[in-house]
């Protein structure tokens, strides 16, 4: 006669063991499901499911907050909740990238204003840090670049994994807010544009797909002719597609009302491209 089966009692260690085995597969499943759901949502509604997802916040110092308030109208217009997110992203940028001076000492003002320019450009994006560069190089004025044997005010140099600025011209870009010349926005847009062509993350998929829609709108003969003949954009915008996009972002932030009035369809595409939802995060 066979003995009765022995019942096995599950102990805490057994549950922990099962959790350790199952948890990674569960995490992979939900991560993949979220990615698929967000791509579907993004293509239908032209925006990501989630933008501000961090739980822990890095903080800026009182001096850094003063620099922000003194230099960035965008920061001052944010609702209190979103000022906290903006400060976190500025602090994150300063922590994540190296700042190097060439014949100039790097100051706190340089770090904060350069970081804030990037945070403003990418504020509507969840994945905002760019792995194509690791450092910010700052010169006092126009500098010689070995990349193309010429003098520059700024550049994105992927070979050196660097974004480079003339501090004089960067500062003019944020101090003069109505000339549609913003060196920080211009060079950071180049870096973001190039990474968007390589990445499959939702933020960059949105940027790239909206960009292709923008090019389709602008390529229409009647739109292109009206845009060129209006003289709205400076001539440098028509050098190539990369310069066109970078110049558009400068105008988007510095002359939004005029841009929206003159070319509403192009303005909308740029807004979608960076998921810029001022109704959400800008105070009345």
């Amino acid at each position: 006669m066979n003995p009765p089966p022995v019942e096995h009692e599950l102990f805490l260690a057994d549950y922990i063991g099962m959790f350790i085995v199952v948890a990674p597969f569960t995490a992979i499943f939900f991560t993949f499901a979220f990615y698929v759901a967000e791509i579907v949502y993004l293509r239908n509604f032209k925006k990501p499911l989630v933008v501000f997802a961090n739980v822990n916040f890095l903080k800026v110092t009182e001096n850094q907050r003063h620099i922000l308030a003194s230099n960035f109208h965008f920061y001052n217009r944010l609702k209190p909740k979103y000022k906290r997110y903006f400060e976190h992203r500025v602090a994150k940028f300063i922590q994540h990238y190296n700042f190097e001076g060439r014949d100039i000492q790097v100051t706190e003002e340089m770090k904060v204003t350069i970081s804030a320019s990037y945070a403003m450009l990418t504020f509507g994006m969840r994945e905002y840090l760019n792995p194509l560069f690791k450092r910010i190089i700052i010169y006092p004025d126009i500098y010689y670049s070995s990349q193309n044997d010429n003098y520059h005010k700024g550049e994105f140099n992927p070979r050196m994994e660097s974004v480079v600025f003339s501090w004089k011209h960067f500062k003019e870009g944020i101090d003069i807010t109505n000339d549609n010349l913003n060196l920080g926005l211009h060079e950071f847009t180049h870096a973001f544009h190039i990474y968007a062509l390589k990445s499959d993350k939702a933020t960059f998929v949105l940027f790239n797909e909206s960009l292709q829609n923008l090019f389709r709108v602008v390529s229409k003969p009647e739109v292109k002719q009206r845009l060129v003949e209006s003289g709205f954009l400076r001539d440098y915008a028509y050098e190539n597609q990369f310069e066109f996009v970078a110049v558009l972002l400068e105008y988007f932030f510095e002359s939004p009302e005029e841009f929206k009035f003159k070319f509403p369809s192009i303005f909308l595409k740029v807004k979608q491209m960076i998921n810029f939802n001022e109704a959400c995060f800008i105070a009345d």
Side-chain angles (χ1 to χ4, degrees):
M1 184 174 181
N2 294 329
V6 178
E7 293 185 3
H8 179 67
E9 183 179 354
L10 293 177
F11 294 97
L12 178 61
D14 296 308
Y15 288 109
I16 293 174
M18 286 190 292
F19 176 79
I20 291 172
V21 171
V22 172
F25 296 100
T26 304
I28 291 170
F29 172 79
F30 281 109
T31 300
F32 180 74
F34 178 82
Y35 175 79
V36 172
E38 183 165 52
I39 292 296
V40 172
Y41 183 86
L42 180 150
R43 286 177 172 158
N44 280 279
F45 298 99
K46 306 304 179 187
K47 59 182 179 180
L49 270 171
V50 179
V51 174
F52 303 103
N54 52 295
V55 177
N56 297 316
F57 288 85
L58 297 178
K59 294 182 178 180
V60 296
T61 66
E62 282 302 316
N63 181 47
Q64 290 172 330
R65 187 175 290 112
H66 175 73
I67 293 170
L68 284 173
S70 301
N71 289 278
F72 276 88
H73 181 57
F74 177 83
Y75 169 78
N76 292 324
R77 294 174 63 214
L78 290 172
K79 297 174 184 176
K81 170 184 175 180
Y82 291 101
K83 281 186 178 180
R84 191 181 181 198
Y85 285 111
F86 192 86
E87 290 173 6
H88 166 80
R89 292 189 175 196
V90 168
K92 185 74 172 180
F93 190 95
I94 292 172
Q95 181 187 83
H96 191 79
Y97 297 104
N98 294 322
F99 289 78
E100 301 175 10
R102 299 287 189 270
D103 302 319
I104 192 172
Q105 182 177 352
V106 176
T107 65
E108 202 66 19
E109 181 187 7
M110 292 175 184
K111 290 182 180 180
V112 172
T113 53
I114 289 172
S115 303
S117 293
Y118 187 86
M120 181 173 70
L121 174 66
T122 60
F123 199 59
M125 308 172 188
R126 184 172 70 249
E127 299 99 352
Y128 56 94
L129 296 176
N130 190 332
L132 293 188
F133 64 92
K134 295 180 180 177
R135 60 184 184 224
I136 307 297
I137 298 176
I138 306 166
Y139 287 86
D141 204 333
I142 290 174
Y143 61 91
Y144 180 78
S145 172
S146 59
Q147 180 166 282
N148 59 3
D149 295 324
N150 210 339
Y151 286 89
H152 286 263
K153 297 176 182 177
E155 65 183 293
F156 166 52
N157 189 324
R159 182 176 59 82
M160 294 177 58
E161 299 181 317
S162 303
V163 180
V164 190
F165 295 118
S166 151
W167 174 243
K168 174 186 175 182
H169 295 93
F170 176 89
K171 192 72 167 63
E172 288 176 355
I174 61 173
D175 287 345
I176 305 170
T177 59
N178 59 357
D179 63 351
N180 299 311
L181 292 170
N182 189 306
L183 183 64
L185 287 175
H186 191 97
E187 299 305 334
F188 281 138
T189 298
H190 282 326
F192 204 88
H193 184 176
I194 291 171
Y195 186 53
L197 298 176
K198 304 171 180 287
S199 177
D200 60 355
K201 292 183 177 179
T203 287
F204 303 99
V205 170
L206 173 64
F207 184 94
N208 201 32
E209 291 190 353
S210 299
L211 183 59
Q212 298 312 310
N213 290 334
L214 169 66
F215 287 149
R216 279 192 285 273
V217 170
V218 175
S219 66
K220 295 178 180 178
E222 65 277 12
V223 176
K224 185 176 182 180
Q225 182 178 357
R226 189 163 67 87
L227 183 61
V228 173
E229 291 179 352
S230 72
F232 177 60
L233 300 178
R234 64 182 185 270
D235 292 343
Y236 192 57
Y238 304 106
E239 289 283 315
N240 54 55
Q241 288 188 345
F242 290 97
E243 299 302 343
F244 182 73
V245 174
V247 170
L248 280 184
L249 264 299
E250 291 176 271
Y251 279 69
F252 180 87
F253 281 100
E254 296 214 347
S255 300
E257 296 305 320
E258 183 183 7
F259 193 168
K260 189 190 301 183
F261 176 76
K262 289 184 175 179
F263 299 97
S265 60
I266 298 175
F267 182 87
L268 177 62
K269 297 301 180 187
V270 175
K271 184 177 177 178
Q272 290 175 344
M273 194 166 68
I274 59 172
N275 191 40
F276 191 82
N277 186 5
E278 71 273 26
C280 174
F281 48 74
I282 297 293
D284 293 333

